Amino acid sequence: MKRHALRALLAFVAALGSVLLSVVIAGPSRADTLVCEKFGGTTINGGRYVVINNNWGDDTRQCINVTTTGFTITEASHNKPQNGAPGSYPAVYAGCHYANCSSGSSLPMRVTDSRFSSIRTSVSMTYPSSAGVYDAAYDLWFDPTARTDGQNTGAEVMIWLNHTGQVQPVGSRVGTVNLAGATWDVWFGNSGWNVISYVRTTSTTSIDFNVSTFWNDVVSRGYGQTSWYMTSVQAGFEPWVGGTGLAVNNFSYSVGTGGGDTSPPTAPSNLRSSNVTSSGVTLAWNASSDNVGVTGYDVFRGTTMVGTASGTTFNVTGLSASTTYSFTVRARDAAGNTSSASNAVSVTTTGGGGGDTSPPTAPSNLRSSNVTSSGVTLAWNASSDNVGVTGYDVVQGSTVVGTASGTTFNVTGLSASTTYSFTVRARDAAGNTSSASNAVSVTTTGGGGGGGSCRVGYSVNQWNNGFTATVTVTNTGTAAVNGWTLTFTFPGNQRVTSAWSATVTQNGSAVSAASMSYNGTIAPGANTSFGFQGSYSGTNTAPSSFSLNGAACSVA
């Protein structure tokens, strides 16, 4: 949500004409200090933390009483719509916020800094029953540069400890995860920067955690970059209605000190490769050990993290033919401690000529079942190969619409009352492809699935040669869309590297995004969003057209 002071300052300056405002930070707070200035604040704990009133989203009066360890909202009369932005974000923080930096935080800090995994923070809060409608949340900020002033443009990570009313985070729910001893619903949206929100499924008044615990999950989902910097750690409240009585009782932030698990896992060993093709490789390694427990592994190509694994194998894809790559793996534990790197393994992808040149036999007896208005199940008899079949490409007409490791595939996103022709080809580890199976013709049933009456919004946040895109699909028709596939074509050399809230596949410049189980239905007038992270070189021009279930959409 847009909660930073700069935007509010600009709006307020515009409203007052020639009046110039600035963030007011008083000297260190020893006795209690009452702060009522819209963007007023003070420091506590010898300047280690800054407390800000930050009444950025409302013109009603808000006051906070700052103590030696936190603050209490003593006056607030917010009355904001619960489907919009909150009125304010009074908070205590360590780090830098619009050129106002606390002392001794070591922020901004690059997340690859060896000290990052040791950053720990805690907070305890009070929520009176009369406080109104609000969330109680951490706000962690990340930027592609070591920014101390202005709006961060990398990621905002919110950690909701409690909330009331009907308020919800930016974007849409994309999953659930267990972190820091609790279960959290994960939300993702984009406000010009990535907004990742972790909403605790059961409320709590206190938490003590390693920042890297949540950041590692952000990176594993493709929402953050290992080259970015953390700029601030903030804890406070977002009131929509009322807010009086909400209090931060205690707040702490430390780098490399404090209790908790600080022992990293052992390094993964015996990293090895198999199934090398012209575009991919399978990596495997021996498990790490940890004094508490290993929670996952980060896979690196050179110095770039290309994925995460919960087990001890990982399939690397998207490589170039006849190219040598070096891979390593690092283990992580629940406290965010990261192991040293495994042994490096060098892999040279195959190219034209040499090695296995014998293709598999063609799949046989391709057949269909479970035909609906938008999909069909295909099955076939397995192919054989002199070395081994590694997968199958499912072809609709002349377009590959998916891959399968076994001998069945569910095709989705088809249009009602339409005839399609499918074939299947087998692949082996060397990249050899069989001839096509027999063709099977499928006519989908009639139905009210929709498609054609749609509008698509496409927004991008980019840096150097990378970007994230948020795609919003709106049903402008009168019938619900039940199961959807959105297709579009990149005008440049963009490549999708990860995605959320949709199953995204890419063949050349053509991209297909299929709905998930939880967002497949779009009611008339409603919308749903998904996103992806990608790479590019040169220009990153947006696609000019989109089709939903085979029918063209308007572009917002």
Side-chain angles (χ1 to χ4, degrees):
M1 292 194 176
K2 297 180 179 178
R3 57 183 57 80
H4 264 42
L6 181 61
R7 281 182 300 276
L9 280 171
L10 293 175
F12 199 48
V13 168
L16 295 180
S18 61
V19 177
L20 177 62
L21 296 180
S22 61
V23 177
V24 180
I25 302 295
S29 175
R30 293 176 177 84
D32 288 5
T33 301
L34 185 66
V35 179
C36 297
E37 292 88 352
K38 193 175 180 69
F39 300 108
T42 188
T43 59
I44 61 175
N45 202 353
R48 292 189 65 230
Y49 310 132
V50 180
V51 181
I52 51 175
N53 197 27
N54 201 14
N55 189 12
W56 68 269
D58 206 343
D59 290 329
T60 61
R61 179 178 167 91
Q62 175 181 281
C63 295
I64 57 175
N65 181 63
V66 182
T67 68
T68 57
T69 59
F71 68 91
T72 301
I73 302 176
T74 57
E75 181 180 345
S77 55
H78 302 291
N79 190 19
K80 307 289 287 187
Q82 294 184 42
N83 61 351
S88 64
Y89 184 61
V92 54
Y93 72 85
C96 297
H97 175 87
Y98 282 84
N100 186 36
C101 298
S102 65
S103 63
S105 71
S106 299
L107 299 178
M109 181 188 294
R110 196 165 188 168
V111 299
T112 53
D113 190 303
S114 60
R115 298 170 296 166
F116 179 73
S117 63
S118 73
I119 294 178
R120 195 167 189 89
T121 183
S122 69
V123 71
S124 67
M125 296 177 164
T126 296
Y127 318 129
S129 59
S130 59
V133 178
Y134 62 91
D135 71 55
Y138 267 91
D139 209 4
L140 315 180
W141 284 93
F142 297 83
D143 193 83
T145 65
R147 180 184 295 276
T148 60
D149 61 345
Q151 174 63 53
N152 286 198
T153 59
E156 176 185 9
V157 181
M158 295 207 72
I159 303 170
W160 285 31
L161 307 183
N162 187 31
H163 65 284
T164 60
Q166 303 301 312
V167 299
Q168 64 184 38
V170 171
S172 58
R173 182 179 174 276
V174 296
T176 303
V177 67
N178 292 315
L179 296 172
T183 302
W184 311 78
D185 288 331
V186 186
W187 290 65
F188 176 80
N190 188 279
S191 298
W193 57 90
N194 290 344
V195 182
I196 309 94
S197 302
Y198 294 86
V199 181
R200 207 174 192 271
T201 56
T202 57
S203 65
T204 185
T205 58
S206 64
I207 189 173
D208 184 340
F209 66 98
N210 276 84
V211 168
S212 60
T213 299
F214 289 89
W215 178 248
N216 289 337
D217 188 72
V218 169
V219 172
S220 72
R221 296 173 185 274
Y223 304 151
Q225 298 292 311
T226 56
S227 60
W228 289 355
Y229 295 78
M230 186 168 73
T231 62
S232 67
V233 174
Q234 309 182 19
F237 306 97
E238 293 184 308
W240 274 260
V241 179
T244 300
L246 293 168
V248 169
N249 304 315
N250 289 281
F251 172 81
S252 73
Y253 165 93
S254 62
V255 181
T257 59
D261 176 21
T262 59
S263 300
T266 62
S269 60
N270 192 25
L271 178 62
R272 53 204 182 271
S273 63
S274 62
N275 301 327
V276 180
T277 69
S278 60
S279 61
V281 61
T282 297
L283 300 177
W285 55 91
N286 295 351
S288 298
S289 61
D290 185 67
N291 63 322
V292 177
V294 174
T295 57
Y297 297 88
D298 297 329
V299 180
F300 289 84
R301 185 184 67 228
T303 59
T304 301
M305 190 171 77
V306 295
T308 63
S310 57
T312 57
T313 62
F314 185 80
N315 292 317
V316 182
T317 59
L319 305 180
S320 300
S322 303
T323 304
T324 300
Y325 298 91
S326 178
F327 295 95
T328 55
V329 176
R330 296 176 182 265
R332 284 180 285 102
D333 65 16
N337 302 307
T338 304
S339 77
S340 56
S342 69
N343 60 294
V345 64
S346 180
V347 175
T348 301
T349 51
T350 60
D356 176 20
T357 59
S358 299
T361 61
S364 60
N365 190 26
L366 178 62
R367 53 204 181 272
S368 63
S369 62
N370 301 325
V371 180
T372 68
S373 61
S374 61
V376 62
T377 299
L378 301 177
W380 56 90
N381 295 351
S383 299
S384 60
D385 185 69
N386 63 323
V387 177
V389 174
T390 58
Y392 297 88
D393 295 330
V394 180
V395 183
Q396 175 186 313
S398 59
T399 302
V400 176
V401 294
T403 61
S405 57
T407 56
T408 61
F409 185 80
N410 292 318
V411 182
T412 60
L414 304 180
S415 298
S417 304
T418 304
T419 300
Y420 298 90
S421 179
F422 296 96
T423 55
V424 176
R425 298 176 182 267
R427 286 179 286 100
D428 64 17
N432 302 307
T433 304
S434 76
S435 54
S437 69
N438 60 294
V440 63
S441 180
V442 175
T443 301
T444 52
T445 60
S453 298
C454 49
R455 181 175 65 252
V456 175
Y458 183 90
S459 62
V460 168
N461 178 33
Q462 66 185 45
W463 61 93
N464 296 330
N465 293 322
F467 70 102
T468 58
T470 299
V471 184
T472 301
V473 182
T474 301
N475 180 4
T476 59
T478 58
V481 174
N482 296 309
W484 52 265
T485 296
L486 187 76
T487 56
F488 58 90
T489 300
F490 282 131
N493 59 3
Q494 296 99 324
R495 297 292 302 177
V496 175
T497 56
S498 62
W500 50 93
S501 299
T503 300
V504 179
T505 57
Q506 183 172 355
N507 182 25
S509 60
V511 180
S512 176
S515 58
M516 308 294 282
S517 60
Y518 56 82
N519 64 0
T521 299
I522 311 176
N527 64 70
T528 190
S529 297
F530 68 92
F532 57 85
Q533 184 167 326
S535 61
Y536 74 98
S537 61
T539 58
N540 185 23
T541 305
S544 59
S545 61
F546 300 85
S547 293
L548 183 68
N549 292 347
C553 300
S554 61
V555 179

